[in-house]
Amino acid sequence: MRSLTASHKLPGRLFAPKLFATAAFLSAQIIFSQTSSTKKNPANMTDPAAVHNSAIVIDTHADTPQRFVDEHWSFTDPLNGGMLNYDSAKKGNLDAQFFSIWVDPGQYAANASARRTLELIDATLEQVRYHPEKLALCTTADDIVATHAQGKFCVLMGIEGGHSIEDSLGLLRDYYRLGVRYMTLTWSNTNNWADSSGDIEDEKVSHHSGLTPFGKQVVQEMNRLGMMVDISHVSDKTFWDVIATTRTPIIASHSSARALTSAPRNMTDEMLLAMKKNNGVVMVNFFPAFIDEKWREAWNAQAPERKKAQPGITACSTRSMMRRGGMRI
C-alpha cells in the first residue's frame, strides 16, 4: 500500500551508516526548524497546509516500480490511470519518494525473488538515468536536502518483504550498495526467518514465534549498514522481537492504529508507545480498510465473492488497477 507521510525535516546524516535514524528523527526541531531555502517559513506553524508547503515532504511507500518494469512506463509520463507521476508529485508538494521494491511471493518462488528484485531496482535507477534534469537518486539525508535545493525530485528505494534477500546477508548488503535504504521485514507472507501478520492465523503456514536467530542477524546487519528496519506487515511477536533486537530507531512505512481499525497489520497502542521510546516513526496507511472499521468489515464480507470472481478477472481488475496506480492491497 502507498502511504502518505507527515512532513519531516531530516538530520544531515539520517541514512548514513551507523548514524542513520538518530534520536532527533522525531524531534519537533528537526521536523520544523529546517525550512527549505526555496519555501517560505510560515508564521502559523499550526496550519497543516502551511506546514506542508514549507517542509520537505517524503512519502515512504509507493508501488510504482512495477509499472516501470511491466508496463515500460516512465515516471514523467501521463498518469494513464495511475495515481502518482512526476507532475502529480510536484503539484502536491511531494519532494521525495521511497519507491517500493516488491516481489509477489505467489508469482516468484522463495529462492527466485532476487532477479525480480534486481529488475525493479534497475528500472527505478533507470528512471534517474533517463531524466537527470528532474530526478536524482538519494541515499542520505544530505542528498535529499541538496537535491531539493536544486529543484529536483528525490528518488529513494525500500524493499517490501524480506523474502527478497533469499536468506542471504550478502544479498542484503548488495541491495544496500545499490541504494536501498529500508526493508520491510515481511510482506503478507511469513518468510524463513520472520512471521507476518498476513498469515499468522493460517495453520498451514509454518511460523517461528517472531524472529528466528537468523532474523535477528538480519536486523543487526541492517543496523550496521544504516538500512532502516520497517515493521509494517510483521506479526505482533515479530515486532516485539525487533524492538528487543534493534540498536537504532525503526519505522513503520505504511501502518495505522488498531484502536481505530482492527486490521491485524495496524499497530496497537502499546506498539505505538514502543515506537516512541525507540525514537521511531509511523506513517499512516490511507487505504480505507486500515482507517475505517465499517469499510474494513464490508471489504472482508465481500471476500468470498472476490475470491470466486478472481479467476475471471482480467487486467482491468481492481487489483491490477491498484497496482497501476501505485497501490496494492
Coordinates of all heavy atoms in Angstrom, one line a residue, residues 230-303:
D230 N 11.9 -1.8 8.7 CA 10.5 -1.4 8.6 C 9.7 -2.6 9.1 O 9.8 -3.7 8.7 CB 10.2 -1.1 7.1 CG 8.7 -0.8 6.9 OD1 8.0 -0.4 7.8 OD2 8.3 -1.0 5.7
I231 N 8.7 -2.3 10.1 CA 8.0 -3.3 10.7 C 6.5 -3.4 10.2 O 5.7 -4.1 10.8 CB 8.0 -3.2 12.2 CG1 7.6 -1.8 12.7 CG2 9.4 -3.6 12.7 CD1 6.2 -1.5 12.8
S232 N 6.1 -2.6 9.2 CA 4.8 -2.7 8.6 C 4.7 -4.2 8.1 O 5.7 -4.7 7.5 CB 4.6 -1.7 7.5 OG 4.5 -0.4 8.0
H233 N 3.6 -4.8 8.3 CA 3.3 -6.2 7.8 C 3.7 -7.2 8.8 O 3.2 -8.4 8.7 CB 3.9 -6.5 6.4 CG 3.1 -6.0 5.3 ND1 1.9 -6.5 4.8 CD2 3.4 -5.0 4.4 CE1 1.5 -5.9 3.8 NE2 2.4 -4.9 3.5
V234 N 4.6 -7.0 9.7 CA 5.1 -8.1 10.6 C 4.0 -8.5 11.6 O 3.1 -7.7 11.9 CB 6.4 -7.8 11.2 CG1 7.5 -7.4 10.2 CG2 6.2 -6.7 12.3
S235 N 4.1 -9.7 12.2 CA 3.3 -10.1 13.3 C 3.6 -9.3 14.5 O 4.7 -8.7 14.7 CB 3.4 -11.6 13.5 OG 4.7 -11.9 14.1
D236 N 2.7 -9.4 15.5 CA 3.0 -8.7 16.8 C 4.2 -9.2 17.4 O 5.0 -8.4 17.9 CB 1.8 -8.9 17.7 CG 0.5 -8.1 17.2 OD1 0.5 -7.6 16.1 OD2 -0.5 -8.1 18.0
K237 N 4.4 -10.5 17.5 CA 5.6 -11.1 18.1 C 6.9 -10.7 17.4 O 7.9 -10.4 18.0 CB 5.5 -12.6 18.2 CG 6.7 -13.3 18.9 CD 6.8 -12.8 20.3 CE 7.8 -13.7 21.2 NZ 9.1 -13.8 20.6
T238 N 6.8 -10.6 16.0 CA 8.0 -10.2 15.3 C 8.3 -8.7 15.7 O 9.5 -8.4 15.8 CB 7.7 -10.3 13.8 OG1 7.5 -11.7 13.5 CG2 8.9 -9.8 13.0
F239 N 7.3 -7.9 15.8 CA 7.5 -6.5 16.2 C 8.3 -6.4 17.5 O 9.3 -5.7 17.6 CB 6.2 -5.8 16.3 CG 6.3 -4.4 16.9 CD1 6.6 -3.3 16.1 CD2 6.1 -4.2 18.3 CE1 6.8 -2.0 16.7 CE2 6.2 -3.0 18.9 CZ 6.6 -1.9 18.1
W240 N 7.8 -7.1 18.5 CA 8.4 -7.1 19.8 C 9.8 -7.6 19.8 O 10.7 -7.1 20.5 CB 7.6 -7.7 20.9 CG 6.3 -7.0 21.1 CD1 5.0 -7.4 20.8 CD2 6.2 -5.7 21.7 NE1 4.1 -6.4 21.2 CE2 4.8 -5.3 21.7 CE3 7.1 -4.7 22.2 CZ2 4.3 -4.1 22.2 CZ3 6.6 -3.5 22.7 CH2 5.3 -3.2 22.7
D241 N 10.1 -8.6 19.0 CA 11.4 -9.2 18.8 C 12.4 -8.1 18.2 O 13.5 -8.0 18.5 CB 11.4 -10.4 18.0 CG 10.9 -11.6 18.7 OD1 10.7 -11.5 19.9 OD2 10.7 -12.7 18.1
V242 N 11.8 -7.4 17.2 CA 12.6 -6.3 16.6 C 12.9 -5.2 17.6 O 14.1 -4.8 17.7 CB 11.9 -5.7 15.4 CG1 12.6 -4.4 14.9 CG2 11.7 -6.7 14.3
I243 N 12.0 -4.8 18.4 CA 12.2 -3.8 19.4 C 13.3 -4.3 20.4 O 14.2 -3.5 20.8 CB 10.9 -3.5 20.2 CG1 9.9 -2.8 19.3 CG2 11.2 -2.8 21.5 CD1 10.3 -1.3 19.0
A244 N 13.3 -5.5 20.7 CA 14.3 -6.1 21.6 C 15.7 -6.2 21.0 O 16.7 -6.3 21.7 CB 13.9 -7.4 22.2
T245 N 15.7 -6.3 19.7 CA 17.0 -6.6 19.0 C 17.6 -5.3 18.4 O 18.9 -5.2 18.5 CB 16.7 -7.5 17.8 OG1 16.1 -8.7 18.3 CG2 18.0 -7.9 17.1
T246 N 16.9 -4.4 17.9 CA 17.5 -3.3 17.2 C 18.2 -2.3 18.1 O 17.9 -2.1 19.3 CB 16.4 -2.5 16.4 OG1 17.0 -1.5 15.6 CG2 15.4 -1.8 17.4
R247 N 19.3 -1.7 17.6 CA 20.0 -0.7 18.3 C 19.8 0.7 17.8 O 20.3 1.6 18.3 CB 21.5 -1.0 18.2 CG 22.0 -2.4 18.7 CD 23.5 -2.5 18.7 NE 24.1 -2.1 17.4 CZ 24.2 -2.9 16.4 NH1 23.7 -4.2 16.4 NH2 24.8 -2.5 15.2
T248 N 18.9 0.8 16.8 CA 18.6 2.1 16.2 C 17.1 2.2 16.0 O 16.4 1.2 16.0 CB 19.3 2.2 14.8 OG1 18.7 1.2 13.9 CG2 20.8 2.0 14.8
P249 N 16.6 3.4 15.8 CA 15.2 3.6 15.6 C 14.7 2.8 14.4 O 15.4 2.6 13.4 CB 15.0 5.1 15.4 CG 16.2 5.7 16.1 CD 17.3 4.7 15.9
I250 N 13.4 2.4 14.4 CA 12.8 1.7 13.3 C 11.6 2.5 12.8 O 11.3 3.5 13.3 CB 12.3 0.3 13.8 CG1 11.2 0.4 14.9 CG2 13.5 -0.6 14.2 CD1 10.7 -0.9 15.3
I251 N 11.1 2.0 11.6 CA 10.0 2.7 11.0 C 8.8 1.8 10.8 O 9.1 0.5 10.7 CB 10.4 3.5 9.7 CG1 10.7 2.4 8.6 CG2 11.5 4.4 9.9 CD1 10.8 3.0 7.2
A252 N 7.7 2.3 10.6 CA 6.5 1.6 10.0 C 6.1 2.4 8.8 O 5.5 3.5 8.9 CB 5.4 1.5 11.0
S253 N 6.5 1.9 7.6 CA 6.3 2.7 6.4 C 4.9 2.9 6.0 O 4.6 3.9 5.3 CB 7.1 2.1 5.3 OG 6.5 0.9 4.9
H254 N 4.0 2.0 6.4 CA 2.6 2.1 6.0 C 1.7 1.3 6.9 O 1.2 0.3 6.6 CB 2.4 1.7 4.5 CG 2.8 0.4 4.1 ND1 4.1 -0.1 4.3 CD2 2.2 -0.7 3.5 CE1 4.2 -1.3 3.8 NE2 3.1 -1.7 3.4
S255 N 1.6 1.9 8.1 CA 0.7 1.2 9.2 C -0.2 2.3 9.8 O 0.0 3.5 9.6 CB 1.6 0.7 10.3 OG 2.4 -0.4 9.8
S256 N -1.2 1.8 10.4 CA -2.2 2.7 11.1 C -2.5 2.2 12.5 O -1.8 1.3 13.0 CB -3.5 2.8 10.2 OG -3.2 3.3 8.9
A257 N -3.5 2.7 13.1 CA -3.8 2.4 14.5 C -4.9 1.4 14.7 O -6.0 1.5 14.2 CB -4.2 3.7 15.2
R258 N -4.6 0.3 15.4 CA -5.5 -0.8 15.6 C -6.7 -0.4 16.5 O -7.8 -1.0 16.4 CB -4.8 -2.0 16.1 CG -5.5 -3.3 15.9 CD -4.8 -4.5 16.4 NE -3.5 -4.7 15.8 CZ -2.6 -5.6 16.1 NH1 -2.9 -6.5 17.0 NH2 -1.4 -5.7 15.5
A259 N -6.4 0.6 17.4 CA -7.5 1.0 18.3 C -8.6 1.7 17.5 O -9.8 1.7 17.9 CB -7.0 2.1 19.3
L260 N -8.3 2.2 16.3 CA -9.3 2.8 15.4 C -9.9 1.8 14.4 O -11.1 1.9 14.1 CB -8.7 4.0 14.7 CG -8.2 5.1 15.7 CD1 -7.6 6.3 14.8 CD2 -9.3 5.7 16.5
T261 N -9.0 1.0 13.9 CA -9.5 0.0 12.9 C -8.7 -1.3 13.2 O -7.5 -1.3 13.2 CB -9.1 0.5 11.4 OG1 -9.7 1.8 11.2 CG2 -9.7 -0.5 10.4
S262 N -9.4 -2.4 13.4 CA -8.8 -3.6 13.9 C -8.2 -4.5 12.9 O -8.2 -5.7 13.0 CB -9.8 -4.4 14.7 OG -10.9 -4.8 13.9
A263 N -7.6 -3.9 11.9 CA -6.8 -4.7 10.9 C -5.6 -5.3 11.6 O -4.9 -4.5 12.3 CB -6.5 -3.9 9.7
P264 N -5.2 -6.5 11.4 CA -4.1 -7.1 12.1 C -2.8 -6.4 11.7 O -1.8 -6.5 12.5 CB -4.1 -8.6 11.7 CG -4.9 -8.6 10.5 CD -5.9 -7.5 10.6
R265 N -2.7 -5.8 10.6 CA -1.5 -5.1 10.2 C -1.4 -3.7 11.0 O -0.2 -3.2 11.0 CB -1.5 -4.8 8.7 CG -1.0 -5.9 7.9 CD -1.1 -5.6 6.4 NE -0.6 -4.3 6.0 CZ -0.8 -3.8 4.8 NH1 -1.5 -4.5 3.9 NH2 -0.3 -2.7 4.4
N266 N -2.4 -3.2 11.5 CA -2.3 -2.0 12.3 C -1.6 -2.2 13.6 O -1.6 -3.3 14.1 CB -3.7 -1.4 12.5 CG -4.3 -0.8 11.2 OD1 -3.6 -0.6 10.2 ND2 -5.6 -0.4 11.2
M267 N -1.2 -1.1 14.2 CA -0.4 -1.2 15.4 C -1.2 -0.9 16.6 O -2.1 0.0 16.6 CB 0.8 -0.2 15.3 CG 1.7 -0.5 14.1 SD 3.0 0.7 13.9 CE 4.0 0.2 15.4
T268 N -1.0 -1.7 17.7 CA -1.7 -1.4 18.9 C -1.1 -0.2 19.6 O -0.1 0.3 19.3 CB -1.6 -2.6 19.9 OG1 -0.2 -2.7 20.3 CG2 -2.0 -3.9 19.2
D269 N -1.9 0.3 20.6 CA -1.3 1.5 21.4 C 0.0 1.2 22.0 O 0.9 2.0 22.1 CB -2.3 1.9 22.5 CG -3.6 2.5 21.9 OD1 -3.6 2.8 20.7 OD2 -4.5 2.8 22.7
E270 N 0.2 -0.1 22.5 CA 1.4 -0.5 23.1 C 2.6 -0.4 22.1 O 3.7 0.0 22.4 CB 1.3 -1.9 23.7 CG 0.4 -2.0 24.9 CD -1.1 -2.0 24.5 OE1 -1.4 -2.2 23.3 OE2 -1.9 -1.7 25.4
M271 N 2.3 -0.8 20.9 CA 3.3 -0.8 19.8 C 3.7 0.7 19.5 O 4.9 1.0 19.4 CB 2.8 -1.5 18.6 CG 2.7 -3.0 18.7 SD 1.9 -3.7 17.2 CE 2.0 -5.4 17.6
L272 N 2.7 1.5 19.4 CA 2.9 2.9 19.1 C 3.8 3.5 20.2 O 4.7 4.3 19.9 CB 1.6 3.7 18.9 CG 0.8 3.2 17.7 CD1 -0.6 3.9 17.8 CD2 1.5 3.6 16.4
L273 N 3.5 3.2 21.4 CA 4.3 3.8 22.5 C 5.7 3.2 22.5 O 6.7 3.9 22.8 CB 3.7 3.4 23.9 CG 2.4 4.2 24.2 CD1 1.7 3.6 25.5 CD2 2.7 5.7 24.4
A274 N 5.9 2.0 22.1 CA 7.2 1.4 22.0 C 8.0 2.1 20.9 O 9.2 2.3 21.0 CB 7.1 -0.1 21.7
M275 N 7.3 2.4 19.8 CA 8.0 3.2 18.7 C 8.5 4.5 19.2 O 9.6 5.0 18.9 CB 7.0 3.4 17.6 CG 6.6 2.1 16.8 SD 7.9 1.4 15.8 CE 8.0 2.6 14.4
K276 N 7.7 5.1 20.1 CA 8.1 6.4 20.7 C 9.4 6.3 21.5 O 10.4 7.1 21.4 CB 7.0 7.0 21.5 CG 7.4 8.3 22.2 CD 6.2 8.8 23.0 CE 6.6 10.1 23.8 NZ 5.4 10.6 24.6
K277 N 9.4 5.2 22.3 CA 10.6 5.0 23.2 C 11.8 4.7 22.3 O 13.0 5.0 22.7 CB 10.3 3.8 24.1 CG 9.3 4.1 25.2 CD 9.1 2.9 26.0 CE 8.0 3.1 27.1 NZ 7.7 1.9 27.9
N278 N 11.6 4.1 21.2 CA 12.7 3.7 20.3 C 13.1 4.9 19.3 O 14.0 4.8 18.5 CB 12.3 2.5 19.4 CG 13.3 2.0 18.5 OD1 13.3 2.2 17.3 ND2 14.3 1.3 19.1
N279 N 12.3 6.0 19.5 CA 12.5 7.2 18.6 C 12.2 6.8 17.1 O 12.9 7.3 16.2 CB 13.9 7.7 18.7 CG 14.2 8.4 20.0 OD1 13.4 9.2 20.5 ND2 15.2 8.0 20.7
G280 N 11.3 5.9 16.9 CA 10.9 5.5 15.6 C 9.8 6.4 15.0 O 9.4 7.3 15.7
V281 N 9.4 6.1 13.8 CA 8.4 6.9 13.1 C 7.4 6.0 12.5 O 7.7 4.9 11.9 CB 9.1 7.8 12.0 CG1 8.0 8.5 11.2 CG2 10.0 8.7 12.6
V282 N 6.1 6.3 12.6 CA 5.0 5.6 12.0 C 4.3 6.4 10.9 O 3.9 7.6 11.2 CB 4.0 5.2 13.1 CG1 2.8 4.4 12.4 CG2 4.6 4.3 14.1
M283 N 4.2 5.9 9.7 CA 3.5 6.6 8.7 C 2.1 5.9 8.4 O 2.0 4.7 8.6 CB 4.3 6.5 7.4 CG 5.4 7.6 7.3 SD 6.7 7.5 8.5 CE 7.6 6.1 7.8
V284 N 1.1 6.7 8.1 CA -0.2 6.2 8.0 C -0.5 5.6 6.7 O -0.2 6.2 5.6 CB -1.2 7.4 8.3 CG1 -2.7 6.9 8.1 CG2 -1.0 7.9 9.7
N285 N -1.1 4.4 6.7 CA -1.6 3.8 5.5 C -3.0 4.3 5.3 O -3.9 4.1 6.1 CB -1.6 2.2 5.8 CG -2.1 1.4 4.6 OD1 -2.9 1.9 3.7 ND2 -1.7 0.2 4.5
F286 N -3.3 4.9 4.1 CA -4.6 5.6 3.9 C -5.6 4.7 3.1 O -6.6 5.2 2.8 CB -4.4 7.0 3.3 CG -3.8 7.0 2.0 CD1 -4.4 6.6 0.9 CD2 -2.5 7.6 1.8 CE1 -3.9 6.7 -0.4 CE2 -1.9 7.7 0.6 CZ -2.6 7.2 -0.6
F287 N -5.2 3.5 2.8 CA -6.2 2.6 2.2 C -7.4 2.4 3.2 O -7.2 2.2 4.4 CB -5.6 1.3 1.8 CG -6.5 0.4 1.1 CD1 -6.9 0.7 -0.2 CD2 -7.0 -0.8 1.6 CE1 -7.8 -0.1 -0.9 CE2 -7.9 -1.6 0.9 CZ -8.3 -1.3 -0.4
P288 N -8.7 2.6 2.7 CA -9.8 2.6 3.6 C -9.9 1.4 4.6 O -10.3 1.6 5.7 CB -11.0 2.6 2.7 CG -10.5 3.3 1.5 CD -9.1 2.8 1.3
A289 N -9.4 0.2 4.2 CA -9.5 -0.9 5.1 C -8.7 -0.8 6.3 O -8.8 -1.6 7.3 CB -9.1 -2.2 4.3
F290 N -7.8 0.2 6.4 CA -6.9 0.4 7.5 C -7.2 1.6 8.3 O -6.6 1.9 9.4 CB -5.5 0.4 7.1 CG -5.0 -0.8 6.4 CD1 -5.0 -0.9 5.0 CD2 -4.7 -2.0 7.1 CE1 -4.7 -2.1 4.4 CE2 -4.3 -3.1 6.5 CZ -4.3 -3.2 5.1
I291 N -8.2 2.4 7.9 CA -8.6 3.6 8.6 C -10.1 3.8 8.9 O -10.5 4.7 9.5 CB -8.0 4.9 7.9 CG1 -8.5 5.0 6.5 CG2 -6.5 4.9 8.0 CD1 -8.1 6.3 5.8
D292 N -10.9 2.8 8.4 CA -12.3 2.9 8.5 C -12.8 1.5 8.8 O -12.8 0.6 8.0 CB -12.9 3.4 7.2 CG -14.4 3.6 7.3 OD1 -15.1 2.8 8.0 OD2 -14.9 4.6 6.7
E293 N -13.2 1.3 10.1 CA -13.7 -0.1 10.5 C -14.9 -0.6 9.8 O -14.9 -1.8 9.4 CB -14.0 0.0 12.0 CG -14.4 -1.4 12.6 CD -13.3 -2.4 12.5 OE1 -12.1 -2.1 12.4 OE2 -13.6 -3.6 12.6
K294 N -15.8 0.3 9.5 CA -17.0 -0.2 8.8 C -16.6 -0.6 7.3 O -17.2 -1.6 6.8 CB -18.1 0.9 8.8 CG -18.7 1.1 10.1 CD -19.8 2.2 10.1 CE -20.5 2.4 11.4 NZ -21.5 3.4 11.4
W295 N -15.8 0.2 6.7 CA -15.3 -0.1 5.4 C -14.6 -1.5 5.4 O -14.8 -2.3 4.5 CB -14.4 1.0 4.9 CG -14.2 1.0 3.4 CD1 -14.8 1.9 2.5 CD2 -13.4 0.2 2.6 NE1 -14.4 1.6 1.2 CE2 -13.5 0.6 1.2 CE3 -12.5 -0.9 2.8 CZ2 -12.9 0.0 0.2 CZ3 -11.8 -1.5 1.8 CH2 -12.0 -1.1 0.5
R296 N -13.7 -1.7 6.4 CA -13.0 -2.9 6.5 C -13.9 -4.1 6.7 O -13.7 -5.2 6.1 CB -12.0 -2.9 7.7 CG -11.1 -4.1 7.8 CD -10.3 -4.0 9.1 NE -11.2 -4.4 10.3 CZ -11.4 -5.6 10.7 NH1 -10.9 -6.6 10.0 NH2 -12.2 -5.8 11.7
E297 N -14.9 -4.0 7.5 CA -15.9 -5.1 7.7 C -16.6 -5.4 6.4 O -16.8 -6.6 6.1 CB -16.9 -4.7 8.8 CG -16.3 -4.6 10.2 CD -17.2 -4.1 11.2 OE1 -18.4 -3.7 10.8 OE2 -16.9 -4.0 12.4
A298 N -17.0 -4.4 5.7 CA -17.7 -4.6 4.4 C -16.7 -5.3 3.4 O -17.1 -6.2 2.6 CB -18.2 -3.3 3.8
W299 N -15.5 -4.8 3.4 CA -14.5 -5.4 2.5 C -14.3 -6.9 2.8 O -14.2 -7.7 1.9 CB -13.2 -4.6 2.6 CG -12.0 -5.1 1.9 CD1 -11.0 -5.9 2.3 CD2 -11.7 -4.9 0.5 NE1 -10.1 -6.2 1.3 CE2 -10.5 -5.5 0.2 CE3 -12.3 -4.1 -0.5 CZ2 -9.9 -5.5 -1.0 CZ3 -11.7 -4.1 -1.8 CH2 -10.5 -4.8 -2.0
N300 N -14.2 -7.2 4.1 CA -14.0 -8.6 4.5 C -15.2 -9.5 4.1 O -15.1 -10.6 3.7 CB -13.7 -8.7 6.0 CG -12.3 -8.2 6.3 OD1 -11.5 -8.0 5.4 ND2 -12.1 -7.9 7.6
A301 N -16.4 -8.9 4.3 CA -17.6 -9.6 4.0 C -17.7 -9.9 2.5 O -18.3 -10.9 2.1 CB -18.8 -8.8 4.4
Q302 N -17.1 -9.1 1.6 CA -17.1 -9.4 0.2 C -16.0 -10.3 -0.3 O -15.9 -10.7 -1.4 CB -17.0 -8.1 -0.5 CG -18.2 -7.1 -0.4 CD -17.9 -5.8 -1.0 OE1 -16.8 -5.4 -1.4 NE2 -18.9 -4.9 -1.0
A303 N -15.2 -10.8 0.7 CA -14.0 -11.6 0.3 C -14.4 -12.8 -0.4 O -13.8 -13.2 -1.5 CB -13.2 -11.9 1.6

